[in-house]
């Protein structure tokens, strides 16, 4: 039991770190918002640092509300399957959770307005979720496989 919990915790941290690193390439909406109005202009809605704060908060919310649950559920659903089959399940769950989060909770707007933001989060999250699946399949052996370093009983 401890091994399973440790494997999932390690996978969560690895995928969260990779998700954060994907935000080194800023999304288009952040680039459009930054510099749209000079910082000293009194008509500016928010100071420029708030755009970067929104990125950080969005990353954390996506990690906690979408990435971790989809990683846990997808690897659980794919526990007796290959890593490739599990990886198909994880983004499928993440896609639904991301759409629900953006459309219902954040009130982004109609589906046509949600789609570009959804695609951005899914592109960033897919790399990180692949690391989640890879690490859990590496650390948690499936049926008929033994953990690395353990010899088969003779």
């Amino acid at each position: 039991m401890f091994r399973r919990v440790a494997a999932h915790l390690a996978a969560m941290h690895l995928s969260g770190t990779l998700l954060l690193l994907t935000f080194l390439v800023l999304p288009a909406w952040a680039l459009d918002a930054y510099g749209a109005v000079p910082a000293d202009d009194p008509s500016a809605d928010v100071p420029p640092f708030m755009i970067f704060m929104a990125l950080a908060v969005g990353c954390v919310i996506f990690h906690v509300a979408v990435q971790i649950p989809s990683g846990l559920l997808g690897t659980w659903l794919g526990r007796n399957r290959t890593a490739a089959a599990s990886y198909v399940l994880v983004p499928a769950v993440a896609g639904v959770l991301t759409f629900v989060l953006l459309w219902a909770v954040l009130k982004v707007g109609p589906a046509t307005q949600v789609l570009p933001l959804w695609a951005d989060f899914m592109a960033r999250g897919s790399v990180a979720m692949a690391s989640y699946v890879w690490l859990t399949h590496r650390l948690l052996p499936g049926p008929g496989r033994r953990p690395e370093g353990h010899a088969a009983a003779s």
Side-chain angles (χ1 to χ4, degrees):
M1 178 66 169
F2 175 75
R3 182 181 175 100
R4 296 191 69 75
V5 171
H8 283 287
L9 282 173
M12 287 176 203
H13 284 86
L14 175 63
S15 67
T17 302
L18 288 176
L19 178 68
L20 185 61
L21 289 175
T22 64
F23 278 94
L24 290 175
V25 177
L26 296 175
W29 67 265
L31 292 173
D32 291 342
Y34 191 81
V37 178
D40 59 348
D41 187 350
S43 70
D45 292 337
V46 294
F49 77 89
M50 290 301 291
I51 296 167
F52 296 112
M53 183 64 78
L55 285 173
V57 170
C59 179
V60 170
I61 289 172
F62 181 78
H63 181 64
V64 171
V66 173
Q67 195 175 19
I68 291 174
S70 64
L72 288 170
L73 184 59
T75 54
W76 179 73
L77 290 171
R79 66 189 175 279
N80 294 327
R81 295 175 177 85
T82 65
S86 290
Y87 181 69
V88 168
L89 294 168
V90 170
V93 172
V96 171
L97 289 176
T98 302
F99 190 81
V100 168
L101 179 71
L102 291 174
W103 187 56
V105 177
L106 298 179
K107 306 287 186 208
V108 172
T112 55
Q113 292 176 347
V114 173
L115 192 59
L117 194 55
W118 176 85
D120 181 64
F121 273 108
M122 288 306 297
R124 294 171 190 281
S126 64
V127 174
M129 288 182 275
S131 70
Y132 191 103
V133 171
W134 173 80
L135 192 59
T136 55
H137 272 266
R138 184 113 173 120
L139 296 177
L140 299 174
R145 292 186 288 164
R146 294 225 175 250
E148 291 182 21
H150 291 99
S154 5

